[in-house]
Amino acid sequence: MKKIFAMLAAIFFCGAMMISCNKDNKEENPTFPTKADMVGTWEGTFTGTATLGKASENYTIKWTLVLNPEGSSTVGSLKYTASFATMQDITGQVPVTDYYTKQNTNIGRILIAGGSNFGLLDEIIDFDMNLTAKTLTGILDVYTSTDDDSIRLGGETTLHKK
């Protein structure tokens, strides 16, 4: 009888160890960002070099993305200011018409209507979201033209929640 009791106790002990200490449980049910996680003001900069005419010009673009909570009078906006050493600054602000997260991913998406009127050709911009670091990373581009050239400014930019 003692052997049966000891064997049952060992089986229950081993079974309890296998169930209660399951580290993989969290990986099976990952937490993905929600639309509410995107709400707020996000800022970031991109520094690059563009060829204007025959000369290289260093520039910096400051981006500000504002996403308002559901039920607000406006959805949000994306603003940029491109600063140059020898040229006049270029600024623009476009309304965000919608934003959301792609289901079961860390991807957030914003929709912009008429962005080309403000120098943006992309009407959909995807961001990799990192909730721990409070960052959105995506490709943010502005197109402008001079007398001679059409110029693309920007690239992969990380925005930080303010």
Side-chain angles (χ1 to χ4, degrees), residues 72-134:
S72 298
S73 59
T74 61
V75 176
S77 63
L78 178 61
K79 180 181 179 181
Y80 65 88
T81 300
S83 301
F84 302 87
T86 62
M87 271 180 50
Q88 183 178 352
D89 291 356
I90 300 170
T91 63
Q93 182 169 337
V94 296
V96 173
T97 58
D98 196 11
Y99 66 95
Y100 55 90
T101 58
K102 293 174 90 177
Q103 189 173 3
N104 297 325
T105 70
N106 290 320
I107 305 289
R109 175 175 280 175
I110 65 170
L111 304 176
I112 300 168
S116 58
N117 297 332
F118 300 92
L120 299 172
L121 290 183
D122 295 326
E123 293 189 359
I124 297 174
I125 301 172
D126 286 342
F127 292 97
D128 290 324
M129 300 176 65
N130 183 331
L131 294 180
T132 305
K134 295 184 180 180

Side-chain angles (χ1 to χ4, degrees), residues 44-55:
T45 58
F46 179 88
T47 302
T49 304
T51 302
L52 305 172
K54 295 182 181 176

